Amino acid sequence: MKVLKANGEFCRIDVPDHISLWGLILPIRNALNQYVNVRPTRVLRGINSPLKNCGTKDLNWVIIRENSEGEYAGHGGTTHAHSSNTVATEVSIFTRVGIERIFRFAFETARSRSRKKLTMVTKSNAQRHGMVLWDKIFAEIMKEYPDVETDKMLVDAMTVRMVLQPQSLDTIVATNLHADILSDLAAALSGSIGIAPSSNLDPTRENPSMFEPIHGSAPDIAGKGIANPIGAFWSAAEMVRWLGFEEAADGLMTCIENVTEAGVKTKDLRGSANTKDVTDAVCKEIENVLGSR
């Protein structure tokens, strides 16, 4: 990663990814009970998907990620670490409480959308304990939502469906690891990981929620002026929406899409603008919209 020194120069500090993850973002999510991660994905105006003739009418998803347990629960360990007999275990944790609450949030999200469709992602053919419980509880919860259409996909088959039949999907719910991977694919299919937002939510609202681009801090491009700020702006719109200001959130998204449609885009979207150019353009668009009211 890179850090800014007092003299304005950047210096590089090598921090392993698992240290930055377990030393910051995961403890925040756990301590604040942010057990839901929401990752909306759609093709914004002016942005081309790598999928031929794919627009918002074809790719407009919300991925609901279980954010507190599963494959990222942190259970496991390493023994004999400095010998040829090293053993490392990574234990996935699935609890009825954790599974029930993420499914209910996913069903409520699907119910609130026009298509009222929920796809559950699993891998119970290979993971015969935790993922079988995941499947079993989904079958129980779905009975409470007869108005929501449901289907089930193995995670490997889901990657194929996302590419070949994006229009067949709407709301998607998956485990911590599976949704993490699938949402990166979804971002790429919508144009770039640089535009993708995420919300770490405590649905009880007893603790603060946290909003961030799914790409994180992107330390490999820090200070180069090429990072795409759209993911941060979209995350801000999701934060405003979570606070109950739907009109303001929609207004910010309109400003973002006015800019992308005008062709002001960073290199990851095959544009020539830098970070400041796009940021200034969105801010100017917000000023224009506010000034017209």
Side-chain angles (χ1 to χ4, degrees):
M1 64 181 295
K2 292 184 177 182
V3 296
L4 186 63
K5 297 192 295 185
N7 63 3
E9 297 179 354
F10 281 92
C11 65
R12 183 174 182 84
I13 298 178
D14 291 321
V15 178
D17 289 343
H18 69 282
I19 297 298
S20 60
L21 186 71
W22 282 99
L24 182 62
I25 187 68
L26 292 185
I28 291 174
R29 290 172 178 170
N30 290 336
L32 298 179
N33 195 38
Q34 296 170 353
Y35 65 84
V36 173
N37 187 269
V38 181
R39 299 188 168 191
T41 305
R42 63 184 173 89
V43 181
L44 302 179
R45 284 188 281 114
I47 294 179
N48 295 320
S49 166
L51 300 178
K52 187 177 181 180
N53 300 321
C54 180
T56 293
K57 62 181 176 58
D58 306 299
L59 199 166
N60 188 342
W61 309 330
V62 175
I63 297 177
I64 308 297
R65 171 187 177 186
E66 201 293 312
N67 211 33
S68 67
E69 53 179 39
E71 304 86 351
Y72 294 1
H75 287 245
T78 303
T79 60
H80 311 297
H82 302 293
S83 77
S84 59
N85 298 315
T86 303
V87 177
T89 60
E90 202 74 54
V91 183
S92 296
I93 303 297
F94 294 94
T95 67
R96 174 168 284 275
V97 169
I99 298 171
E100 284 186 352
R101 66 186 185 180
I102 196 64
F103 281 157
R104 285 201 169 88
F105 187 94
F107 271 104
E108 292 293 339
T109 300
R111 175 181 275 175
S112 71
R113 289 169 60 83
S114 60
R115 293 182 63 185
K116 293 179 169 51
K117 180 174 183 177
L118 178 63
T119 299
M120 185 270 281
V121 177
T122 185
K123 191 58 180 170
S124 51
N125 61 334
Q127 295 173 282
R128 59 197 178 104
H129 300 298
M131 294 305 304
V132 169
L133 179 63
W134 176 269
D135 290 3
K136 178 178 183 291
I137 294 175
F138 184 79
E140 295 172 2
I141 300 296
M142 65 185 290
K143 296 175 184 177
E144 302 175 19
Y145 297 87
D147 56 322
V148 176
E149 178 187 352
T150 61
D151 62 354
K152 180 174 75 171
M153 293 293 296
L154 295 176
V155 65
D156 44 349
M158 185 63 168
T159 62
V160 178
R161 182 175 172 185
M162 289 170 70
V163 174
L164 298 182
Q165 297 178 303
Q167 71 282 354
S168 70
L169 298 165
D170 186 66
T171 307
I172 300 161
V173 61
T175 67
N176 216 330
L177 175 62
H178 293 163
D180 190 8
I181 296 169
L182 293 177
S183 59
D184 277 17
L185 172 59
L189 295 177
S190 67
S192 168
I193 197 172
I195 67 173
S198 75
S199 308
N200 299 280
L201 306 178
D202 173 9
T204 70
R205 297 183 183 264
E206 294 178 2
N207 299 285
S209 293
M210 180 171 59
F211 303 81
E212 56 177 343
I214 73 170
H215 59 65
S217 58
D220 56 319
I221 58 173
K224 296 180 180 179
I226 60 175
N228 192 334
I230 296 301
F233 277 118
W234 193 345
S235 297
E238 294 304 306
M239 178 180 68
V240 171
R241 194 181 306 282
W242 180 248
L243 294 173
F245 300 99
E246 292 280 344
E247 184 179 354
D250 291 341
L252 178 51
M253 290 307 301
T254 296
C255 291
I256 291 170
E257 292 193 82
N258 287 347
V259 169
T260 55
E261 189 172 40
V264 185
K265 295 179 284 189
T266 45
K267 290 182 179 180
D268 57 307
L269 293 172
R270 294 175 291 280
S272 58
N274 59 30
T275 306
K276 186 176 186 302
D277 293 335
V278 177
T279 301
D280 289 346
V282 173
C283 290
K284 184 177 180 180
E285 192 66 28
I286 293 172
E287 291 176 357
N288 291 339
V289 170
L290 292 176
S292 65
R293 292 183 177 179

